[in-house]
Amino acid sequence: AFRDIAPARLNLQRLRDARDQLTAVLGEVSEGVAVVGTGGELVLANDAAALRAGFESPEQMVRELRGVSLLQVLRKLLAG
């Protein structure tokens, strides 16, 4: 039994496009912006947020704060 995965692939591409657009917009904002998922995990941050929190890049910030609670992330951002 085969099923058409074209709609799922299209939805995945739309999600990737939306993520890329959001990343581009956040990159232009001078204020620190961090995006937190529904489970409280850090999903995305811009350069200003990463630098303010003491990280070299947004990717490093997200990677190193994986599994850290939202409250701890906010404390880290505000302490910078």
Side-chain angles (χ1 to χ4, degrees):
F2 293 99
R3 66 183 181 113
D4 184 9
I5 62 167
R9 288 185 130 188
L10 180 60
N11 287 337
L12 184 57
Q13 187 58 48
R14 287 179 179 156
L15 285 172
R16 286 182 180 142
D17 291 346
R19 180 203 56 208
D20 292 346
Q21 289 173 348
L22 179 59
T23 301
V25 168
L26 290 178
E28 298 299 320
V29 176
S30 63
E31 295 295 322
V33 177
V35 178
V36 178
T38 57
E41 74 282 2
L42 182 63
V43 177
L44 187 68
N46 68 355
D47 288 335
L51 293 174
R52 180 175 173 97
F55 295 97
E56 293 181 15
S57 70
E59 295 80 15
Q60 178 193 21
M61 182 177 173
V62 171
R63 184 176 55 252
E64 291 189 17
L65 293 177
R66 188 169 289 134
V68 177
S69 76
L70 170 60
L71 182 57
Q72 290 171 315
V73 171
L74 290 174
R75 285 184 182 147
K76 178 81 173 165
L77 287 172
L78 295 174

